[in-house]
Amino acid sequence: TPDNSYGISGVGHNSKLLPIRIDDEEGVLTKAWEGLIYAADHGAKIINCSWGSTFSNGQFGQDIVNYATYNKGALIVAAAGNSNDERMFYPAAFKNVLCVAATKSNDYKWENSSYYWRVDVSAPGHDIYSTWPNGQFISSGGTSMATPMVSGAAAIVWTYYPEMLPQQIIHIIKNTTDNIYNISNNAKYRDKLGTGRINMFRALTDDFKPGISNEELFITDKDDDVFIINDTLYISGIFRNYLTPTNQLSI
């Protein structure tokens, strides 16, 4: 609740929250995927996943994401990971998930934020003042703190455009970020911190642009599909535009 002179207020003002416990008494995430399904089945429009692993669960995990996205119309926002490397982190790296890296107040990449081509956007994730058990507040950091920034922003954007699909909300947020690659510290991470740092004001006020997604990718050598030196590879894909039409698309 904003403007009550107590603690802080979150990004997604007046959003309804459905807290779901996914760990056991030892803090082990024993019900993470079940929790994601539970959220989707109980009407959560945005599912914040400030958790994950470099273990993908393969098609099992992607199927759960697709169920939430296509069957229930939910948008999953997930943390990119805190290992300061290019290892994929799941569920963030799955298709149909809005994958979030962490930045500092000066828009530098947060030291421990993971970075890779599958990241969609970045958001503040360093020295974030937030709630803590027993009515306390502390400052902490990580992509787990950056992710709810984006979830809150997505909630506000979706309120403005309630008829949009989850994929459309993703592209609106991606299309309206601020460029952070012109900062010298971020140059070596180019294209691995998403389209930039989120800007909720721009997401609500900028004109729509095209929103292109690669739905499927096919790679073959038209032989045995075992790729070796001097093979010629044929790459094709299915692409979908979720926003403004375009006739000048380059892939």
Side-chain angles (χ1 to χ4, degrees), residues 109-127:
K109 183 186 87 73
W110 175 60
E111 288 84 354
N112 294 322
S113 176
S114 298
Y115 54 94
Y116 40 88
W117 66 270
R118 184 56 192 84
V119 173
D120 291 304
V121 296
S122 296
H126 171 255
D127 200 24

Side-chain angles (χ1 to χ4, degrees), residues 107-237:
D107 278 340
Y108 290 6
K109 183 186 87 73
W110 175 60
E111 288 84 354
N112 294 322
S113 176
S114 298
Y115 54 94
Y116 40 88
W117 66 270
R118 184 56 192 84
V119 173
D120 291 304
V121 296
S122 296
H126 171 255
D127 200 24
I128 304 299
Y129 197 55
S130 186
T131 53
W132 199 247
N134 302 315
Q136 300 180 67
F137 299 89
I138 68 166
S139 293
S140 58
T143 56
S144 289
M145 302 302 289
T147 299
M149 295 279 190
V150 179
S151 293
I156 299 297
V157 174
W158 219 339
T159 300
Y160 268 56
Y161 306 111
E163 302 305 317
M164 291 285 187
L165 298 170
Q167 297 93 331
Q168 292 175 301
I169 300 299
I170 289 175
H171 283 289
I172 290 172
I173 293 173
K174 289 178 62 175
N175 284 348
T176 55
T177 56
D178 288 345
N179 179 23
I180 59 175
Y181 293 116
N182 54 4
I183 299 172
S184 58
N185 286 54
N186 295 336
K188 61 183 177 182
Y189 306 113
R190 178 165 293 277
D191 298 327
K192 297 175 183 178
L193 298 174
T195 58
R197 190 250 309 122
I198 63 165
N199 184 325
M200 187 165 69
F201 179 77
R202 288 186 57 197
L204 299 173
T205 57
D206 279 15
D207 292 335
F208 288 167
K209 300 175 183 176
I212 312 297
S213 283
N214 170 220
E215 304 289 293
E216 292 188 70
L217 190 65
F218 310 101
I219 305 175
T220 179
D221 62 358
K222 294 188 176 180
D223 182 18
D224 55 7
D225 286 338
V226 177
F227 306 150
I228 60 174
I229 293 175
N230 293 325
D231 261 1
T232 297
L233 302 186
Y234 299 84
I235 304 174
S236 61

